[in-house]
Amino acid sequence: MEHDIPADPAAPAVRVKVVEDDLFGPVTVSLDLGAGVVVVHGDAVPRVELRRDPAVSDIDDHVPVGTRDGAALSLVIDGSELPVRPGKGRLTRRSFRVDVPYGEVVYRLVPDSLAGSRLLRGEERIGAFTSDGDGVVLVEWRDGVGVRAVEVGLGYALAAAFGTGAGPMWLLALEALGDLITPG
């Protein structure tokens, strides 16, 4: 279940959604497309902020946060800064992955269908996410994996910041070819 929270009318690119997570209750996802900022928080979920460097001028409209350049992004979970390592997003679904090392674990959000992505804790699948870049994030947690609060915040933030899903390689190759032969 999701609820819209009215955003500031002076900032139409800001979208705030509250989702009732099955395991951790209400989770608020705020996506500011103009500034390239995602903030996720909840009563039982640590605050996660992912921000695009304001100096970035070449905004990628296909990425909600505006860039896949990890050097131009900062990720803070509950006050601790972490690296975020997005793939280039080219011809394979795997190239759209986003990796975040946290403690002894590397978390990965990686597309597994046209619309969805899975969140991995190391090699273990812990949840399936969908988000089309509008700040609405839906998740189905895998039973029996002991999902942690930090994983909830991180998963929602990555899905909102980068969107989910990717086409199969043949479709991505056709789109790339079309971009090359279509006059811009």
Side-chain angles (χ1 to χ4, degrees), residues 67-167:
T67 186
R68 296 190 68 80
D69 178 1
L73 296 168
S74 64
L75 175 66
V76 177
I77 298 179
D78 216 14
S80 298
E81 191 160 345
L82 301 168
V84 58
R85 300 180 184 134
K88 299 269 187 213
R90 300 277 189 237
L91 290 179
T92 65
R93 283 186 176 154
R94 189 169 182 261
S95 74
F96 287 90
R97 76 191 175 283
V98 182
D99 292 338
V100 175
Y102 183 80
E104 299 297 316
V105 177
V106 175
Y107 290 98
R108 172 173 283 180
L109 184 72
V110 62
D112 59 3
S113 69
L114 272 174
S117 293
R118 63 186 177 269
L119 181 64
L120 304 172
R121 176 195 306 138
E123 299 293 321
E124 182 179 27
R125 175 185 276 213
I126 59 174
F129 285 81
T130 57
S131 180
D132 62 8
D134 64 356
V136 176
V137 178
L138 302 174
V139 63
E140 185 177 318
W141 297 110
R142 192 163 181 203
D143 290 335
V145 295
V147 177
R148 303 169 190 143
V150 69
E151 295 166 342
V152 173
L154 182 61
Y156 277 91
L158 294 177
F162 296 99
T164 59

Coordinates of all heavy atoms in Angstrom, one line a residue, residues 67-167:
T67 N 22.6 10.2 -12.9 CA 23.9 9.7 -13.4 C 24.2 8.3 -12.9 O 23.6 7.9 -11.9 CB 25.1 10.6 -12.9 OG1 26.3 10.2 -13.5 CG2 25.2 10.6 -11.4
R68 N 25.0 7.6 -13.7 CA 25.5 6.3 -13.3 C 27.0 6.4 -12.9 O 27.7 5.3 -12.8 CB 25.3 5.2 -14.4 CG 23.8 5.0 -14.6 CD 23.6 3.8 -15.6 NE 23.9 2.6 -14.9 CZ 23.1 1.9 -14.1 NH1 21.9 2.4 -13.7 NH2 23.6 0.8 -13.5
D69 N 27.5 7.6 -12.8 CA 28.9 7.8 -12.4 C 29.1 7.7 -10.9 O 28.7 8.7 -10.2 CB 29.4 9.1 -13.0 CG 30.8 9.4 -12.6 OD1 31.5 8.6 -12.0 OD2 31.3 10.5 -13.0
G70 N 29.6 6.6 -10.4 CA 29.8 6.5 -8.9 C 30.6 7.6 -8.3 O 30.3 7.9 -7.1
A71 N 31.5 8.2 -9.0 CA 32.3 9.3 -8.4 C 31.5 10.5 -8.2 O 31.9 11.4 -7.5 CB 33.5 9.5 -9.4
A72 N 30.4 10.6 -8.9 CA 29.5 11.8 -8.8 C 28.4 11.6 -7.8 O 27.4 12.4 -7.8 CB 29.0 12.2 -10.2
L73 N 28.4 10.4 -7.1 CA 27.3 10.1 -6.2 C 27.9 9.9 -4.8 O 29.0 9.4 -4.6 CB 26.7 8.8 -6.6 CG 26.0 8.8 -8.0 CD1 25.6 7.4 -8.4 CD2 24.7 9.7 -7.9
S74 N 27.1 10.3 -3.8 CA 27.4 10.0 -2.4 C 26.3 9.2 -1.8 O 25.1 9.5 -2.0 CB 27.7 11.3 -1.6 OG 26.6 12.1 -1.5
L75 N 26.6 8.3 -1.0 CA 25.6 7.4 -0.3 C 25.9 7.5 1.2 O 27.0 7.2 1.6 CB 25.7 6.0 -0.8 CG 24.8 5.0 -0.1 CD1 23.3 5.3 -0.4 CD2 25.1 3.6 -0.6
V76 N 24.9 7.8 2.0 CA 25.1 7.9 3.4 C 24.0 7.0 4.0 O 22.8 7.2 3.8 CB 25.0 9.3 4.0 CG1 25.1 9.3 5.5 CG2 26.1 10.2 3.3
I77 N 24.4 6.0 4.9 CA 23.4 5.2 5.6 C 23.6 5.5 7.1 O 24.7 5.2 7.6 CB 23.6 3.7 5.3 CG1 23.4 3.4 3.8 CG2 22.7 2.9 6.1 CD1 23.6 2.0 3.4
D78 N 22.6 6.0 7.7 CA 22.6 6.3 9.1 C 23.8 7.0 9.6 O 24.4 6.7 10.6 CB 22.4 5.0 9.9 CG 21.6 5.1 11.1 OD1 20.9 6.2 11.3 OD2 21.6 4.2 12.0
G79 N 24.2 8.0 8.7 CA 25.4 8.9 9.1 C 26.7 8.4 8.6 O 27.7 9.1 8.7
S80 N 26.8 7.2 8.0 CA 28.1 6.6 7.5 C 28.1 6.7 6.0 O 27.2 6.2 5.4 CB 28.2 5.2 8.0 OG 28.3 5.1 9.4
E81 N 29.2 7.3 5.5 CA 29.3 7.4 4.0 C 29.9 6.1 3.4 O 30.8 5.5 4.0 CB 30.2 8.5 3.6 CG 30.1 8.8 2.1 CD 30.6 10.2 1.7 OE1 30.7 11.1 2.6 OE2 30.8 10.4 0.5
L82 N 29.2 5.6 2.4 CA 29.6 4.4 1.7 C 29.8 4.6 0.2 O 29.2 5.5 -0.4 CB 28.6 3.3 1.9 CG 28.2 2.9 3.3 CD1 27.0 2.1 3.3 CD2 29.4 2.2 3.9
P83 N 30.7 3.8 -0.4 CA 30.8 3.9 -1.9 C 29.6 3.3 -2.6 O 29.0 2.4 -2.1 CB 32.1 3.2 -2.2 CG 32.3 2.2 -1.1 CD 31.6 2.9 0.1
V84 N 29.2 3.9 -3.7 CA 28.2 3.3 -4.5 C 28.8 3.1 -5.9 O 29.4 4.0 -6.4 CB 26.9 4.1 -4.6 CG1 27.1 5.5 -5.1 CG2 25.8 3.5 -5.4
R85 N 28.6 1.9 -6.5 CA 29.3 1.5 -7.7 C 28.3 1.0 -8.8 O 28.1 -0.2 -8.9 CB 30.4 0.4 -7.4 CG 31.4 0.9 -6.5 CD 32.4 -0.2 -6.2 NE 33.4 0.2 -5.2 CZ 33.7 -0.6 -4.2 NH1 33.3 -1.8 -4.1 NH2 34.6 -0.1 -3.3
P86 N 27.7 2.0 -9.5 CA 26.8 1.6 -10.6 C 27.6 1.0 -11.8 O 28.7 1.5 -12.1 CB 26.1 2.8 -10.9 CG 26.6 3.9 -10.0 CD 27.8 3.4 -9.3
G87 N 27.0 0.0 -12.4 CA 27.6 -0.4 -13.7 C 27.3 0.7 -14.8 O 26.5 1.6 -14.5
K88 N 27.9 0.5 -15.9 CA 27.7 1.5 -17.0 C 26.3 1.5 -17.6 O 26.0 2.5 -18.3 CB 28.8 1.2 -18.1 CG 30.2 1.3 -17.6 CD 30.7 2.6 -17.8 CE 32.2 2.6 -17.5 NZ 32.6 3.9 -16.9
G89 N 25.6 0.4 -17.5 CA 24.2 0.4 -18.1 C 24.3 0.4 -19.6 O 23.7 1.3 -20.3
R90 N 24.9 -0.7 -20.2 CA 25.0 -0.7 -21.6 C 24.1 -1.8 -22.2 O 22.9 -1.7 -22.2 CB 26.5 -1.0 -22.0 CG 27.4 0.1 -21.5 CD 27.4 1.3 -22.5 NE 28.4 2.2 -22.1 CZ 28.2 3.5 -21.8 NH1 27.0 4.0 -21.9 NH2 29.2 4.3 -21.4
L91 N 24.8 -2.9 -22.7 CA 24.0 -3.9 -23.5 C 23.6 -5.2 -22.8 O 22.9 -6.0 -23.4 CB 24.9 -4.4 -24.7 CG 25.1 -3.3 -25.8 CD1 26.0 -3.8 -26.9 CD2 23.8 -2.8 -26.3
T92 N 23.9 -5.3 -21.5 CA 23.4 -6.5 -20.8 C 22.7 -6.1 -19.5 O 22.9 -5.0 -19.0 CB 24.6 -7.4 -20.4 OG1 25.4 -6.7 -19.4 CG2 25.5 -7.9 -21.5
R93 N 21.8 -6.9 -19.1 CA 21.1 -6.6 -17.8 C 22.1 -6.4 -16.7 O 22.0 -5.5 -15.9 CB 20.1 -7.7 -17.5 CG 18.9 -7.6 -18.3 CD 17.9 -8.6 -17.8 NE 16.6 -8.5 -18.6 CZ 15.8 -9.4 -18.8 NH1 16.0 -10.6 -18.3 NH2 14.7 -9.2 -19.5
R94 N 23.1 -7.2 -16.6 CA 24.1 -7.2 -15.6 C 24.8 -5.8 -15.5 O 25.3 -5.3 -14.5 CB 25.1 -8.3 -15.7 CG 26.0 -8.4 -14.5 CD 26.8 -9.7 -14.6 NE 27.7 -9.9 -13.4 CZ 29.0 -9.6 -13.4 NH1 29.6 -9.2 -14.5 NH2 29.6 -9.7 -12.3
S95 N 25.0 -5.2 -16.7 CA 25.7 -3.9 -16.7 C 24.9 -2.8 -16.1 O 25.4 -1.7 -15.8 CB 26.0 -3.5 -18.2 OG 24.8 -3.0 -18.9
F96 N 23.6 -3.0 -15.7 CA 22.8 -2.1 -15.0 C 22.8 -2.3 -13.5 O 22.0 -1.6 -12.8 CB 21.3 -2.1 -15.5 CG 21.1 -1.5 -16.9 CD1 21.3 -2.3 -18.0 CD2 20.8 -0.2 -17.0 CE1 21.1 -1.8 -19.3 CE2 20.7 0.4 -18.3 CZ 20.8 -0.4 -19.4
R97 N 23.7 -3.1 -13.0 CA 23.8 -3.4 -11.6 C 24.3 -2.2 -10.8 O 24.9 -1.3 -11.4 CB 24.7 -4.6 -11.4 CG 26.2 -4.2 -11.5 CD 27.1 -5.4 -11.5 NE 28.5 -4.9 -11.8 CZ 29.0 -4.6 -13.0 NH1 28.2 -4.6 -14.1 NH2 30.2 -4.2 -13.1
V98 N 24.0 -2.2 -9.5 CA 24.5 -1.2 -8.6 C 25.1 -2.0 -7.4 O 24.3 -2.7 -6.8 CB 23.5 -0.2 -8.2 CG1 24.1 0.9 -7.3 CG2 22.8 0.5 -9.4
D99 N 26.3 -1.8 -7.1 CA 27.0 -2.5 -5.9 C 27.2 -1.5 -4.8 O 27.7 -0.4 -5.1 CB 28.3 -3.1 -6.4 CG 28.1 -4.3 -7.3 OD1 27.0 -4.9 -7.3 OD2 29.1 -4.6 -8.0
V100 N 27.0 -1.9 -3.6 CA 27.3 -1.1 -2.4 C 28.0 -2.1 -1.4 O 27.3 -3.0 -0.8 CB 26.1 -0.5 -1.8 CG1 26.4 0.2 -0.5 CG2 25.4 0.4 -2.8
P101 N 29.3 -1.9 -1.1 CA 29.9 -2.6 0.0 C 29.5 -2.0 1.3 O 29.5 -0.8 1.5 CB 31.4 -2.4 -0.3 CG 31.5 -1.3 -1.2 CD 30.2 -1.0 -1.8
Y102 N 29.0 -2.9 2.2 CA 28.6 -2.4 3.5 C 29.1 -3.5 4.6 O 28.6 -4.6 4.5 CB 27.1 -2.3 3.6 CG 26.5 -1.7 4.9 CD1 26.6 -0.4 5.1 CD2 26.0 -2.6 5.8 CE1 26.1 0.1 6.3 CE2 25.5 -2.1 7.0 CZ 25.5 -0.7 7.3 OH 25.0 -0.2 8.5
G103 N 30.0 -3.1 5.4 CA 30.6 -4.1 6.3 C 31.3 -5.1 5.6 O 32.1 -4.8 4.7
E104 N 31.0 -6.4 5.8 CA 31.7 -7.5 5.2 C 30.9 -8.0 4.0 O 31.2 -9.0 3.4 CB 31.8 -8.7 6.2 CG 32.7 -8.3 7.4 CD 34.1 -8.0 7.0 OE1 34.7 -8.7 6.2 OE2 34.6 -7.0 7.5
V105 N 29.8 -7.3 3.6 CA 28.9 -7.7 2.5 C 28.9 -6.7 1.4 O 29.0 -5.5 1.6 CB 27.5 -7.9 3.1 CG1 26.5 -8.3 2.0 CG2 27.4 -8.9 4.2
V106 N 28.8 -7.2 0.2 CA 28.5 -6.4 -1.0 C 27.1 -6.6 -1.4 O 26.7 -7.8 -1.7 CB 29.4 -6.7 -2.2 CG1 29.0 -5.8 -3.4 CG2 30.9 -6.4 -1.8
Y107 N 26.3 -5.5 -1.3 CA 24.9 -5.6 -1.8 C 24.9 -5.3 -3.2 O 25.6 -4.4 -3.7 CB 24.0 -4.6 -1.0 CG 23.8 -5.1 0.4 CD1 24.6 -4.6 1.5 CD2 22.9 -6.1 0.7 CE1 24.5 -5.0 2.8 CE2 22.7 -6.5 2.0 CZ 23.5 -6.0 3.0 OH 23.4 -6.5 4.3
R108 N 24.0 -5.9 -4.0 CA 23.9 -5.7 -5.4 C 22.4 -5.6 -5.8 O 21.6 -6.5 -5.5 CB 24.6 -6.8 -6.2 CG 24.3 -6.7 -7.7 CD 25.2 -7.6 -8.5 NE 26.5 -7.1 -8.6 CZ 27.5 -7.7 -9.2 NH1 27.4 -8.8 -9.8 NH2 28.7 -7.1 -9.2
L109 N 22.0 -4.6 -6.5 CA 20.7 -4.5 -7.1 C 21.0 -4.7 -8.6 O 21.7 -4.0 -9.2 CB 20.0 -3.1 -6.9 CG 18.6 -3.0 -7.4 CD1 17.6 -3.8 -6.6 CD2 18.2 -1.5 -7.5
V110 N 20.3 -5.7 -9.2 CA 20.6 -6.1 -10.5 C 19.3 -6.5 -11.2 O 18.5 -7.2 -10.7 CB 21.7 -7.2 -10.6 CG1 21.2 -8.5 -10.0 CG2 22.1 -7.5 -12.1
P111 N 19.1 -6.0 -12.5 CA 17.8 -6.3 -13.2 C 17.8 -7.8 -13.5 O 18.8 -8.5 -13.7 CB 18.0 -5.6 -14.5 CG 18.9 -4.4 -14.2 CD 19.9 -5.0 -13.2
D112 N 16.5 -8.4 -13.4 CA 16.3 -9.8 -13.7 C 15.1 -9.9 -14.6 O 14.7 -11.1 -15.0 CB 16.2 -10.6 -12.5 CG 15.1 -10.3 -11.6 OD1 14.3 -9.3 -11.9 OD2 15.0 -10.9 -10.5
S113 N 14.5 -8.8 -15.1 CA 13.4 -8.9 -16.0 C 13.2 -7.5 -16.6 O 14.0 -6.6 -16.3 CB 12.1 -9.3 -15.3 OG 11.7 -8.2 -14.4
L114 N 12.3 -7.3 -17.5 CA 12.0 -6.0 -18.1 C 11.7 -4.9 -17.0 O 12.1 -3.8 -17.1 CB 10.9 -6.0 -19.1 CG 11.2 -6.4 -20.5 CD1 9.9 -6.6 -21.3 CD2 12.1 -5.4 -21.1
A115 N 11.0 -5.3 -16.0 CA 10.5 -4.3 -15.0 C 11.2 -4.5 -13.6 O 11.2 -3.5 -12.8 CB 9.0 -4.4 -14.8
G116 N 11.7 -5.7 -13.3 CA 12.2 -5.9 -11.9 C 13.7 -6.1 -11.8 O 14.4 -6.4 -12.7
S117 N 14.1 -5.9 -10.5 CA 15.5 -6.2 -10.2 C 15.5 -6.9 -8.8 O 14.6 -6.8 -8.0 CB 16.2 -4.8 -10.0 OG 16.4 -4.2 -11.2
R118 N 16.5 -7.7 -8.6 CA 16.7 -8.4 -7.4 C 17.8 -7.7 -6.5 O 18.8 -7.2 -7.1 CB 17.0 -9.9 -7.6 CG 18.3 -10.1 -8.3 CD 18.4 -11.6 -8.6 NE 19.6 -11.9 -9.4 CZ 19.7 -11.9 -10.7 NH1 18.7 -11.7 -11.4 NH2 20.9 -12.2 -11.2
L119 N 17.6 -7.8 -5.2 CA 18.6 -7.3 -4.3 C 19.3 -8.5 -3.7 O 18.6 -9.4 -3.2 CB 18.0 -6.5 -3.2 CG 19.0 -5.9 -2.1 CD1 19.9 -4.9 -2.8 CD2 18.2 -5.2 -1.0
L120 N 20.6 -8.5 -3.8 CA 21.4 -9.6 -3.3 C 22.3 -9.2 -2.1 O 22.8 -8.0 -2.1 CB 22.4 -10.1 -4.4 CG 21.8 -10.5 -5.8 CD1 22.8 -10.8 -6.8 CD2 20.9 -11.8 -5.6
R121 N 22.4 -10.1 -1.2 CA 23.3 -9.9 -0.1 C 24.4 -10.9 -0.4 O 24.2 -12.1 -0.2 CB 22.6 -10.2 1.3 CG 23.5 -10.2 2.5 CD 22.9 -10.9 3.7 NE 21.6 -10.4 4.1 CZ 20.6 -11.2 4.5 NH1 20.8 -12.5 4.5 NH2 19.5 -10.7 4.8
G122 N 25.5 -10.4 -0.9 CA 26.5 -11.3 -1.4 C 25.9 -12.1 -2.6 O 25.5 -11.5 -3.6
E123 N 25.8 -13.4 -2.5 CA 25.2 -14.2 -3.6 C 23.7 -14.5 -3.3 O 23.0 -15.1 -4.1 CB 26.0 -15.5 -3.7 CG 27.4 -15.3 -4.1 CD 27.5 -14.8 -5.6 OE1 26.8 -15.2 -6.4 OE2 28.4 -13.9 -5.8
E124 N 23.2 -14.2 -2.1 CA 21.9 -14.6 -1.7 C 20.8 -13.5 -2.1 O 20.9 -12.3 -1.7 CB 21.9 -14.7 -0.1 CG 20.5 -15.2 0.4 CD 20.6 -15.4 1.9 OE1 21.4 -14.7 2.6 OE2 19.8 -16.1 2.4
R125 N 19.8 -14.0 -2.8 CA 18.7 -13.1 -3.1 C 17.9 -12.9 -1.9 O 17.4 -13.8 -1.2 CB 17.8 -13.8 -4.2 CG 16.6 -13.0 -4.6 CD 15.8 -13.8 -5.5 NE 16.3 -13.6 -6.8 CZ 15.5 -13.5 -7.9 NH1 14.2 -13.7 -7.8 NH2 16.0 -13.3 -9.1
I126 N 17.6 -11.6 -1.6 CA 16.8 -11.2 -0.5 C 15.5 -10.5 -0.8 O 14.6 -10.5 0.0 CB 17.6 -10.4 0.6 CG1 18.1 -9.1 0.0 CG2 18.7 -11.3 1.2 CD1 18.8 -8.2 1.1
G127 N 15.4 -9.9 -2.0 CA 14.2 -9.2 -2.3 C 14.1 -8.9 -3.8 O 15.1 -8.9 -4.5
A128 N 12.8 -8.7 -4.3 CA 12.6 -8.4 -5.7 C 11.9 -7.0 -5.7 O 10.9 -6.8 -5.0 CB 11.7 -9.4 -6.3
F129 N 12.5 -6.1 -6.4 CA 12.0 -4.7 -6.5 C 11.5 -4.3 -7.8 O 12.0 -4.8 -8.8 CB 13.2 -3.8 -6.1 CG 13.6 -3.7 -4.7 CD1 14.4 -4.7 -4.2 CD2 13.1 -2.7 -3.8 CE1 14.7 -4.7 -2.8 CE2 13.5 -2.7 -2.5 CZ 14.3 -3.7 -2.0
T130 N 10.5 -3.4 -7.8 CA 10.1 -2.7 -9.1 C 10.0 -1.2 -8.8 O 9.5 -0.8 -7.7 CB 8.8 -3.3 -9.6 OG1 7.8 -3.2 -8.6 CG2 8.9 -4.7 -10.1
S131 N 10.5 -0.5 -9.7 CA 10.3 1.0 -9.7 C 10.6 1.5 -11.0 O 11.6 1.2 -11.6 CB 11.3 1.6 -8.6 OG 11.1 3.0 -8.6
D132 N 9.7 2.4 -11.5 CA 9.9 2.9 -12.9 C 10.5 4.3 -12.9 O 10.4 5.0 -13.9 CB 8.6 2.8 -13.7 CG 7.5 3.6 -13.1 OD1 7.7 4.4 -12.2 OD2 6.4 3.4 -13.7
G133 N 11.0 4.8 -11.8 CA 11.7 6.1 -11.8 C 10.8 7.2 -11.3 O 11.2 8.4 -11.3
D134 N 9.6 6.9 -10.8 CA 8.7 8.0 -10.3 C 8.7 8.1 -8.8 O 7.9 8.8 -8.2 CB 7.3 7.7 -10.8 CG 6.7 6.5 -10.3 OD1 7.4 5.7 -9.6 OD2 5.5 6.2 -10.7
G135 N 9.6 7.3 -8.1 CA 9.6 7.4 -6.6 C 8.8 6.3 -6.0 O 8.9 6.0 -4.8
V136 N 8.0 5.6 -6.7 CA 7.2 4.5 -6.2 C 8.1 3.2 -6.3 O 8.6 2.9 -7.3 CB 5.9 4.2 -7.0 CG1 5.2 3.0 -6.5 CG2 5.0 5.5 -6.9
V137 N 8.2 2.6 -5.1 CA 9.1 1.4 -5.1 C 8.2 0.3 -4.4 O 7.6 0.5 -3.4 CB 10.3 1.6 -4.2 CG1 11.1 0.3 -4.1 CG2 11.2 2.7 -4.8
L138 N 8.1 -0.9 -5.1 CA 7.4 -2.0 -4.6 C 8.4 -3.1 -4.4 O 9.4 -3.3 -5.2 CB 6.3 -2.5 -5.5 CG 5.3 -1.4 -5.9 CD1 4.3 -1.9 -7.0 CD2 4.5 -1.0 -4.7
V139 N 8.3 -3.9 -3.3 CA 9.2 -5.0 -3.0 C 8.5 -6.2 -2.5 O 7.4 -6.1 -1.9 CB 10.2 -4.5 -2.0 CG1 9.6 -4.2 -0.6 CG2 11.3 -5.6 -1.7
E140 N 9.0 -7.3 -2.9 CA 8.6 -8.6 -2.3 C 9.8 -9.3 -1.7 O 10.8 -9.6 -2.4 CB 8.0 -9.5 -3.4 CG 7.4 -10.8 -2.9 CD 6.8 -11.6 -4.0 OE1 6.1 -11.0 -4.9 OE2 7.0 -12.8 -4.0
W141 N 9.8 -9.4 -0.4 CA 10.9 -9.9 0.4 C 10.9 -11.5 0.3 O 9.8 -12.1 0.3 CB 10.9 -9.5 1.8 CG 11.1 -8.0 2.0 CD1 10.2 -7.1 2.4 CD2 12.3 -7.3 1.7 NE1 10.7 -5.9 2.4 CE2 12.0 -5.9 1.9 CE3 13.6 -7.6 1.2 CZ2 12.9 -4.9 1.7 CZ3 14.5 -6.6 1.0 CH2 14.1 -5.2 1.3
R142 N 12.0 -12.1 0.2 CA 12.1 -13.5 0.1 C 12.0 -14.1 1.5 O 12.6 -13.6 2.5 CB 13.5 -13.9 -0.5 CG 13.6 -15.3 -0.8 CD 14.7 -15.6 -1.7 NE 14.7 -17.0 -2.1 CZ 15.8 -17.6 -2.5 NH1 17.0 -16.9 -2.6 NH2 15.8 -18.9 -2.8
D143 N 11.2 -15.1 1.6 CA 10.9 -15.7 2.9 C 12.2 -16.4 3.5 O 12.9 -17.0 2.7 CB 9.8 -16.8 2.8 CG 8.4 -16.2 2.6 OD1 8.2 -15.0 2.9 OD2 7.6 -16.9 2.0
G144 N 12.4 -16.3 4.8 CA 13.4 -17.0 5.5 C 14.8 -16.5 5.3 O 15.7 -17.2 5.8
V145 N 15.0 -15.3 4.8 CA 16.4 -14.8 4.6 C 16.8 -13.8 5.7 O 17.9 -13.4 5.8 CB 16.6 -14.1 3.2 CG1 16.5 -15.2 2.1 CG2 15.7 -12.9 3.0
G146 N 15.9 -13.5 6.7 CA 16.2 -12.6 7.7 C 16.6 -11.2 7.3 O 17.7 -10.7 7.5
V147 N 15.7 -10.6 6.6 CA 16.0 -9.2 6.0 C 16.3 -8.3 7.2 O 15.6 -8.2 8.2 CB 14.8 -8.7 5.2 CG1 15.0 -7.3 4.7 CG2 14.5 -9.7 4.1
R148 N 17.4 -7.5 7.0 CA 17.8 -6.5 8.0 C 17.3 -5.1 7.7 O 17.1 -4.8 6.5 CB 19.3 -6.5 8.1 CG 19.9 -7.8 8.4 CD 21.4 -7.8 8.1 NE 21.9 -9.2 8.2 CZ 22.8 -9.7 7.4 NH1 23.4 -9.0 6.6 NH2 23.2 -11.0 7.6
A149 N 17.1 -4.3 8.7 CA 16.5 -2.9 8.5 C 17.4 -2.1 7.5 O 16.8 -1.4 6.6 CB 16.4 -2.2 9.8
V150 N 18.7 -2.3 7.6 CA 19.6 -1.5 6.7 C 19.4 -2.0 5.2 O 19.4 -1.2 4.3 CB 21.0 -1.6 7.1 CG1 21.6 -3.0 6.9 CG2 21.9 -0.6 6.4
E151 N 19.0 -3.2 5.0 CA 18.8 -3.8 3.7 C 17.5 -3.2 3.1 O 17.4 -3.0 1.9 CB 18.8 -5.3 3.7 CG 20.1 -5.9 4.1 CD 20.1 -7.3 4.5 OE1 19.0 -7.9 4.8 OE2 21.2 -7.9 4.5
V152 N 16.5 -3.0 4.0 CA 15.3 -2.4 3.5 C 15.5 -0.9 3.0 O 15.2 -0.6 1.9 CB 14.2 -2.3 4.7 CG1 13.0 -1.6 4.3 CG2 13.9 -3.7 5.1
G153 N 16.2 -0.1 3.8 CA 16.5 1.2 3.4 C 17.4 1.3 2.1 O 17.1 2.1 1.2
L154 N 18.4 0.5 2.1 CA 19.3 0.5 0.9 C 18.6 0.0 -0.3 O 18.7 0.6 -1.4 CB 20.5 -0.5 1.2 CG 21.5 -0.5 0.1 CD1 22.1 0.8 -0.2 CD2 22.6 -1.5 0.5
G155 N 17.8 -1.1 -0.2 CA 17.0 -1.6 -1.4 C 16.1 -0.5 -2.0 O 16.0 -0.3 -3.2
Y156 N 15.3 0.1 -1.1 CA 14.3 1.1 -1.6 C 15.1 2.3 -2.2 O 14.7 2.8 -3.2 CB 13.5 1.7 -0.4 CG 12.3 0.8 -0.1 CD1 12.4 -0.2 0.9 CD2 11.1 1.0 -0.7 CE1 11.3 -1.0 1.2 CE2 9.9 0.3 -0.4 CZ 10.1 -0.7 0.6 OH 9.0 -1.5 0.9
A157 N 16.2 2.7 -1.6 CA 17.0 3.8 -2.1 C 17.6 3.5 -3.5 O 17.5 4.4 -4.4 CB 18.1 4.2 -1.1
L158 N 18.2 2.4 -3.6 CA 18.8 2.0 -4.9 C 17.7 1.9 -6.0 O 17.9 2.3 -7.1 CB 19.6 0.7 -4.8 CG 20.9 0.8 -3.9 CD1 21.5 -0.6 -3.8 CD2 21.8 1.9 -4.4
A159 N 16.6 1.3 -5.7 CA 15.5 1.1 -6.7 C 15.0 2.5 -7.1 O 14.7 2.7 -8.3 CB 14.4 0.2 -6.1
A160 N 14.8 3.4 -6.1 CA 14.3 4.7 -6.5 C 15.3 5.5 -7.3 O 15.0 6.2 -8.2 CB 13.9 5.5 -5.2
A161 N 16.6 5.4 -6.9 CA 17.6 6.2 -7.5 C 18.0 5.8 -9.0 O 18.3 6.6 -9.8 CB 18.9 6.2 -6.7
F162 N 17.9 4.5 -9.2 CA 18.4 3.9 -10.5 C 17.2 3.3 -11.3 O 17.4 2.9 -12.5 CB 19.5 2.9 -10.3 CG 20.7 3.6 -9.7 CD1 21.0 3.5 -8.4 CD2 21.6 4.3 -10.5 CE1 22.1 4.1 -7.8 CE2 22.7 4.9 -10.0 CZ 23.0 4.8 -8.6
G163 N 16.1 3.1 -10.7 CA 15.0 2.4 -11.4 C 15.3 0.9 -11.4 O 16.4 0.5 -10.9
T164 N 14.4 0.1 -11.9 CA 14.6 -1.3 -11.9 C 14.3 -1.9 -13.3 O 13.7 -1.2 -14.1 CB 13.7 -2.0 -10.9 OG1 12.3 -1.8 -11.2 CG2 14.0 -1.6 -9.5
G165 N 14.8 -3.1 -13.5 CA 14.5 -3.8 -14.8 C 15.4 -3.3 -15.9 O 16.0 -2.2 -15.9
A166 N 15.5 -4.1 -16.9 CA 16.3 -3.8 -18.1 C 15.8 -4.9 -19.2 O 15.5 -6.0 -18.8 CB 17.8 -3.9 -17.9
G167 N 15.9 -4.5 -20.4 CA 15.6 -5.4 -21.5 C 16.6 -6.5 -21.7 O 17.8 -6.3 -21.2

